[in-house]
Amino acid sequence: MSSGGAEDDIPQGERKTVTDFCYLLDKSKQLFNGLRDLPQYGQKQWQSYFGRTFDVYTKLWKFQQQHRQVLDNRYGLKRWQIGEIASKIGQLYYHYYLRTSETSYLNEAFSFYSAIRQRSYYSQVNKEDRPELVVKKLRYYARFIVVCLLLNKMDVVKDLVKELSDEIEDYTHRFNTEDQVEWNLVLQEVAAFIEADPVMVLNDDNTIVITSNRLTETGAPLLEQGMIVGQLSLADALIIGNCNNQVKFSELTVDMFRMLQALEREPMNLASQMNKPGIQESADKPTRRENPHKYLLYKPTFSQLYTFLAASFKELPANSVLLIYLSATGVFPTGRSDGEGPYDFGGVLTNSNRDIINGDAIHKRNQSHKEMHCLHPGDLYPFTRKPLFIIVDSSNSVAYKNFTNLFGQPLVCLLSPTTYPKALQDQSQRGSLFTLFLNNPLMAFLFVSGLSSMRRGLWEKCQEYLRKINRDIAQLLTHSRSIDQAFLQFFGDEFLRLLLTRFVFCSATMRMHKAFRETRNYPESYPQLPRDETVENPHLQKHILELASILDVRNIFFENSMDDY
C-alpha cells in the first residue's frame, strides 16, 4: 500500500514525463536492435529505417536533457544510462559512415563519444557490482578508438588505450572473468595498429606529426586543359582483407585501413555540409555523395564476397566504375594444368569456415580439382560487363595478369610484386609495401630508402616535390601514344587518377632501386603500360633521383636504367 501511496503522490505531469521517457527508451532499443536485421549490402533498403532510428534517438536525447531533474528524482536515471544513449548515437553515426562512406559522420560519432568521456558518464560504473556494465564501458572505449583511428586522432587514441588498459586491469582483478584474454588481445591489436607506419614525421620538439592520406583539394594532379579522358566516376568499391598474420583491429587490417583512406576525401564539418541523418528529409533525399560507396570485407567467404560483389554490380549507376581491392594471401595451383584459362593460375584466398590455413599458400587436396576457397580471375569475368578497376596485393597477384576483356568495357588491373627483397620481407605484418605506395607514396619511398624518421620541414618539402612528380606522371600517361585507352577512360576520376599516378611512381621507384633485382619484385598491370613512356621514362627517373638527392639516399638507386645490365 505504501508504495502505491508514494506513486499517487507523484504529480500527473511528472508521471507522464517518466512514461514518455520509458516509451522512447524502449522504442529506441527496439529500433537499434532491428538494425542488425537489415541486409548489409544494397544501398536503398536501410535508409528509411536509419532515418526513423535517428529520429527516435534525437527525441530521446533532447527529452532526457529537458527533463533531467524529474528523471533523476522519479525514474532514478543514472549517469551511465545517459552514457549508453550517447554511445548508441555515436554507434549510429559510425554505422551511417560505414553505409554511406561520408567521412563527415565520423566527426559526429567522435563528438558524442568524446562527450561521454569529458562528462564522465561511465565513471560510476566501477562502483556497481555488475560486470556487464563494465563490459559496456570497455566496448565504448574500443568503439571510440576505431573512430579516432579513422580520423587520424592518434594523440587521443594513445590516451584512450592507456585508460582502456587501466579499465581492463581493474575489471579482470575485480571480477576474475573468462574474457580477460580477449580484452588483452584488443589492447595488443590496437598497439600494433598504431605502430604500423614505418616512418615517423617529427616536429622540432620531437612530437609526432599526424599525417592524413585522404584526398584533399590539391591531392590529385589536375587535368590539362583540352585533355580528352573518360568521364567515368568511381561509385563503388569493395575493400577485401584476407592476409594471414597481418596487423588488424576491429575487422580492419592495416591494408584495408590504408586503402579506404585512399578512397575518401578529408572530412568536412557536417553542420555546414548537410542535414543530420536524424531529420527525415536526409534519409529520403540523400545529398550528392562525395566519396565512393565502400564495402569493407574482412576475411569473407567466397559466397559472402560474391554476394556483395553482385549487389555492387547491380546498383552501379551509369557511367560509373566498380573498384575491387584484394589484399589477400596467394593461392597457388598444384599439379599440372594443360590449359592456361582463368582458373589455371590460382588466385587469392577466400575464407573457409572449416579449414584452418597457415602459411602463405594453400594447396588443394585433390590435384584434379581447382581450388575452392579462392577468388580466381575467372570469377570476376561476369562483372567485366561494366567498367572495372581491380587492385590485387598478393603473393599470387600475377594470376590476374592473364585477364581477358570479354565485353570491351574499360578494365584495368594493378598488380603488386609477388615477392620483396629479403630486407623488406619482415615488415609484411605491418602492411604491404605496394598498398603503402598507393596510400602514402612518400612514406613508402622513405621506407625503401632505409629512413625511419624525418623532420616536418623536410617532409613537407618532399611532399611538394612529389606533387610535381605526380603532375608529370599524369602528363606522361595522357601524352603516351601507345598506352591502352582503358587507362585514360579511368583518368577523369580524381581517386583513380591518383591511384594510377602513384602506381607508376611505385613501379618506377622499385625498378631503379638496387635491392629490387628480380622481375617479381616489380608491380605489373593489365593491360601492360608502355614501359619506355611511363615506368622507365628517363624524365621520371631523373625526378626520382632528385627526390633521393633531397633525402641524401641517391646511392641506393641506379643512376639510369642502363646500369641494370
Side-chain angles (χ1 to χ4, degrees), residues 36-321:
R36 296 180 193 132
D37 301 326
L38 292 176
Q40 291 176 290
Y41 50 85
Q43 295 173 37
K44 303 290 190 299
Q45 307 94 319
W46 59 272
Q47 283 186 326
S48 59
Y49 192 95
F50 253 85
R52 288 206 309 279
T53 311
F54 264 111
D55 272 350
V56 170
Y57 270 97
T58 303
K59 286 175 188 168
L60 179 64
W61 185 251
K62 287 178 180 171
F63 194 89
Q64 63 82 24
Q65 284 178 319
Q66 290 162 357
H67 304 283
R68 180 75 57 81
Q69 195 170 354
V70 173
L71 293 172
D72 281 351
N73 295 337
R74 303 301 187 188
Y75 177 79
L77 184 68
K78 295 189 168 68
R79 287 189 68 74
W80 67 261
Q81 290 173 303
I82 302 169
E84 269 297 280
I85 298 168
S87 180
K88 288 283 201 301
I89 296 171
Q91 288 176 63
L92 278 174
Y93 275 117
Y94 173 66
H95 284 287
Y96 209 79
Y97 156 72
L98 289 179
R99 293 270 186 175
T100 63
S101 300
E102 269 302 345
T103 38
S104 306
Y105 293 117
L106 285 173
N107 283 332
E108 295 298 305
F110 176 82
S111 65
F112 271 91
Y113 284 147
S114 196
I116 293 169
R117 184 165 167 249
Q118 286 166 359
R119 298 172 193 175
S120 307
Y121 282 138
Y122 281 122
S123 62
Q124 301 301 308
V125 159
N126 294 23
K127 293 180 181 176
E128 302 203 26
D129 194 27
R130 293 172 61 187
E132 72 276 11
L133 289 185
V134 184
V135 169
K136 284 179 187 288
K137 185 178 185 178
L138 300 182
R139 285 179 178 160
Y140 149 72
Y141 269 106
R143 291 182 182 118
F144 193 7
I145 287 168
V146 171
V147 168
C148 291
L149 284 171
L150 288 165
L151 287 170
N152 294 304
K153 295 182 183 289
M154 294 303 174
D155 47 345
V156 184
V157 171
K158 285 170 185 172
D159 290 343
L160 291 174
V161 169
K162 188 179 182 311
E163 289 173 28
L164 177 59
S165 177
D166 293 343
E167 293 289 347
I168 290 170
E169 194 174 329
D170 178 68
Y171 167 65
T172 52
H173 177 71
R174 283 174 60 214
F175 297 108
N176 194 24
T177 59
E178 294 177 1
D179 55 356
Q180 178 178 357
V181 176
E182 291 170 36
W183 281 110
N184 284 328
L185 183 62
V186 168
L187 281 177
Q188 289 166 26
E189 283 183 350
V190 72
F193 206 94
I194 294 167
E195 292 166 10
D197 280 354
V199 179
M200 286 188 297
V201 184
L202 301 172
N203 285 310
D204 292 338
D205 60 357
N206 285 339
T207 55
I208 297 173
V209 178
I210 307 303
T211 58
S212 173
N213 302 303
R214 287 190 172 93
L215 182 64
T216 58
E217 287 180 19
T218 57
L222 295 172
L223 291 170
E224 295 173 273
Q225 216 168 5
M227 179 52 60
I228 298 169
V229 294
Q231 298 303 306
L232 298 171
S233 64
L234 178 60
D236 231 59
L238 264 75
I239 297 178
I240 296 147
N242 199 4
C243 279
N244 293 332
N245 306 321
Q246 192 176 103
V247 167
K248 55 78 99 168
F249 183 62
S250 182
E251 301 210 330
L252 205 59
T253 65
V254 173
D255 280 354
M256 292 171 71
F257 177 74
R258 286 174 177 160
M259 186 48 61
L260 80 86
Q261 298 218 338
L263 299 178
E264 290 180 348
R265 298 177 193 279
E266 277 297 326
M268 292 169 63
N269 186 330
L270 189 64
S272 64
Q273 189 189 2
M274 63 180 76
N275 293 327
K276 295 266 171 65
I279 299 168
Q280 194 64 38
E281 292 90 285
S282 70
D284 294 337
K285 301 173 189 171
T287 53
R288 187 177 73 82
R289 196 167 60 230
E290 287 292 328
N291 294 325
H293 173 264
K294 296 183 298 296
Y295 289 119
L296 306 175
L297 302 179
Y298 173 67
K299 295 200 169 181
T301 62
F302 176 81
S303 59
Q304 286 171 328
L305 197 161
Y306 229 57
T307 302
F308 280 86
L309 194 48
S312 285
F313 180 83
K314 180 188 173 189
E315 296 193 345
L316 197 69
N319 301 316
S320 296
V321 182

Side-chain angles (χ1 to χ4, degrees), residues 290-523:
E290 287 292 328
N291 294 325
H293 173 264
K294 296 183 298 296
Y295 289 119
L296 306 175
L297 302 179
Y298 173 67
K299 295 200 169 181
T301 62
F302 176 81
S303 59
Q304 286 171 328
L305 197 161
Y306 229 57
T307 302
F308 280 86
L309 194 48
S312 285
F313 180 83
K314 180 188 173 189
E315 296 193 345
L316 197 69
N319 301 316
S320 296
V321 182
L322 172 59
L323 182 146
I324 302 170
Y325 169 78
L326 298 163
S327 162
T329 299
V331 179
F332 299 93
T334 57
R336 292 185 178 178
S337 172
D338 297 332
E340 288 197 349
Y343 289 88
D344 293 323
F345 298 97
V348 299
L349 183 66
T350 55
N351 197 12
S352 157
N353 292 328
R354 292 184 304 279
D355 302 329
I356 296 170
I357 299 149
N358 294 312
D360 199 44
I362 165 180
H363 301 285
K364 61 182 183 290
R365 289 173 189 158
N366 186 330
Q367 293 196 353
S368 65
H369 295 151
K370 303 301 178 192
E371 299 75 9
M372 189 186 298
H373 302 295
C374 168
L375 187 75
H376 298 264
D379 293 325
L380 297 179
Y381 277 20
F383 304 102
T384 61
R385 287 175 170 84
K386 293 182 181 179
L388 197 60
F389 194 98
I390 302 167
I391 302 171
V392 185
D393 196 337
S394 172
S395 53
N396 191 27
S397 58
V398 288
Y400 295 80
K401 191 171 70 169
N402 304 287
F403 231 91
T404 306
N405 190 340
L406 297 174
F407 304 104
Q409 290 292 311
L411 172 65
V412 160
C413 305
L414 305 183
L415 311 171
S416 72
T418 54
T419 185
Y420 293 100
K422 282 195 171 65
L424 300 172
Q425 283 173 2
D426 297 341
Q427 299 295 320
S428 60
Q429 275 189 303
R430 295 166 70 179
S432 159
L433 178 60
F434 178 66
T435 293
L436 184 60
F437 262 104
L438 297 180
N439 162 262
N440 190 338
L442 180 54
M443 185 171 284
F445 190 87
L446 296 174
F447 176 57
V448 298
S449 302
L451 301 172
S452 58
S453 65
M454 168 172 287
R455 293 287 166 198
R456 182 178 196 151
L458 185 55
W459 170 269
E460 287 170 354
K461 180 182 177 182
C462 291
Q463 282 285 34
E464 190 55 46
Y465 193 75
L466 195 54
R467 277 191 279 274
K468 172 179 166 48
I469 293 176
N470 262 340
R471 288 194 295 271
D472 286 358
I473 291 173
Q475 285 190 2
L476 290 178
L477 292 170
T478 52
H479 290 187
S480 168
R481 297 190 173 186
S482 53
I483 193 170
D484 191 289
Q485 286 302 299
F487 291 101
L488 300 182
Q489 285 172 299
F490 290 123
F491 219 66
D493 181 88
E494 280 182 289
F495 292 106
L496 300 180
R497 183 157 74 245
L498 198 54
L499 288 172
L500 286 167
T501 54
R502 286 172 173 176
F503 173 81
V504 172
F505 175 70
C506 168
S507 192
T509 298
M510 289 176 177
R511 286 168 185 277
M512 291 181 69
H513 197 294
K514 290 178 180 176
F516 290 71
R517 295 318 318 129
E518 301 178 53
T519 9
R520 54 195 192 139
N521 294 158
Y522 307 143

